[in-house]
Amino acid sequence: MRAATSRWLSSLERSPDELRQGLLERYPAFAPGSLARLAIVGAADEGERLLSLCRSRGIEVVAIFDDAPARVGRVLGPLTVEPFEALSALNPATPVIIASHRLLGAWQRLQDVGFENVAPFALLQVLFPEAFPPHAFYAGWFEELSTNQGRYQNLSRELADERSRLVLDAVLGFRLTLDPRILDPAIEWELYAPKGLLHYSDDEVYVDGGSYDGDTVRFFIDRTGGQFSRVLAFEPDRATYLRLAENFSDEP
């Protein structure tokens, strides 16, 4: 394997506590004792949960923002959800937490308008799980990496091509840093696969396990020009499933 694709693999050879310390050093504004106030981007379920946890722990949330018209204007405790553009009124040194599992777009927009301290909600869950109980995505985040470091090394050697090794290393880099920009060059975000990797006939059956509100189903339909056999979409979260069903209620 070329050295260029092993940048992050070599970083796994540390204990979970050492991995946490390395992450904390990347985000000093969010260290214990430093984080007295913050702003939240994302007013869906995770944003509401973060707001409640901050209030119960004496962390001031100065504002909460969202791009979805259905959420802008909602009253959450003492705050009203503001549109993303209203962020320009904040001091750019204000720590901002992105309360979403989809990070890259919001992260780039925040940096474009000059915010210096940006982190995903996952950061608090990984570093301080007792204060910020982790979503299932982030439970045991570093314990898994440390325990299975040898398996990741073996997997990298088993992969057939350089592109696959690049993707693996980028995913590990994101796991170690929670910086979505590391994933950007390696992954085509819209359908989780590089263009040209998959070729579609006009009778495909697409199974989407964990289909959220149907965004990737829509990408599949677009990719096939609407010519396919059927789509089977599964979403375990009840509220999100209802949005999925509503989004495709007019589909045959």
Side-chain angles (χ1 to χ4, degrees):
M1 183 178 62
R2 297 175 188 172
T5 58
S6 62
R7 175 186 176 191
W8 300 108
L9 270 171
S10 59
S11 299
L12 297 183
E13 298 173 1
R14 293 179 286 169
S15 70
D17 287 343
E18 289 171 325
L19 293 176
R20 284 192 185 87
Q21 183 59 35
L23 186 62
L24 187 56
E25 289 170 1
R26 282 181 168 266
Y27 299 92
F30 299 90
S34 300
L35 191 61
R37 62 198 304 268
L38 56 82
I40 297 174
V41 169
D45 294 347
E46 284 294 272
E48 290 191 49
R49 184 167 80 94
L50 175 57
L51 175 62
S52 176
L53 289 168
C54 287
R55 292 178 65 192
S56 68
R57 284 156 180 78
I59 299 173
E60 179 189 4
V61 177
V62 298
I64 185 166
F65 304 90
D66 203 294
D67 249 357
R71 288 193 281 269
V72 172
R74 288 178 60 207
V75 176
L76 300 177
L79 299 174
T80 299
V81 179
E82 302 179 55
F84 194 97
E85 291 72 19
L87 272 159
S88 59
L90 277 187
N91 183 331
T94 304
V96 180
I97 291 285
I98 303 172
S100 171
H101 304 305
R102 298 184 171 217
L103 302 171
L104 184 61
W107 192 297
Q108 290 176 330
R109 292 177 67 184
L110 286 162
Q111 294 212 319
D112 287 346
V113 295
F115 281 86
E116 304 163 6
N117 300 300
V118 178
F121 184 16
L123 177 78
L124 301 180
Q125 298 173 63
V126 170
L127 291 178
F128 316 115
E130 293 184 2
F132 297 92
H135 184 283
F137 290 171
Y138 311 117
W141 190 254
F142 283 152
E143 285 74 13
E144 189 279 330
L145 285 178
S146 183
T147 299
N148 293 306
Q149 56 182 282
R151 292 184 175 185
Y152 285 116
Q153 296 281 358
N154 291 336
L155 173 60
S156 183
R157 286 190 287 269
E158 291 292 328
L159 292 172
D161 59 87
E162 192 70 7
R163 173 71 183 180
S164 297
R165 289 188 286 270
L166 174 67
V167 171
L168 172 63
D169 209 58
V171 169
L172 294 175
F174 172 70
R175 292 281 302 274
L176 290 165
T177 66
L178 291 173
D179 186 337
R181 295 170 297 181
I182 292 171
L183 287 171
D184 192 29
I187 293 177
E188 181 190 6
W189 286 82
E190 66 177 37
L191 202 54
Y192 312 116
K195 288 178 181 174
L197 181 64
L198 301 177
H199 300 279
Y200 303 104
S201 65
D202 60 4
D203 62 350
E204 300 287 353
V205 176
Y206 177 52
V207 180
D208 191 340
S211 52
Y212 190 57
D213 63 1
D215 52 348
T216 47
V217 172
R218 185 63 63 195
F219 283 127
F220 169 77
I221 293 173
D222 292 344
R223 282 282 180 89
T224 60
Q227 301 299 311
F228 59 93
S229 176
R230 61 194 301 221
V231 173
L232 302 174
F234 298 88
E235 172 51 50
D237 178 76
R238 179 68 181 173
T240 309
Y241 165 76
L242 292 174
R243 295 206 305 273
L244 169 68
E246 174 64 25
N247 287 342
F248 291 91
S249 61
D250 295 330
E251 295 286 348

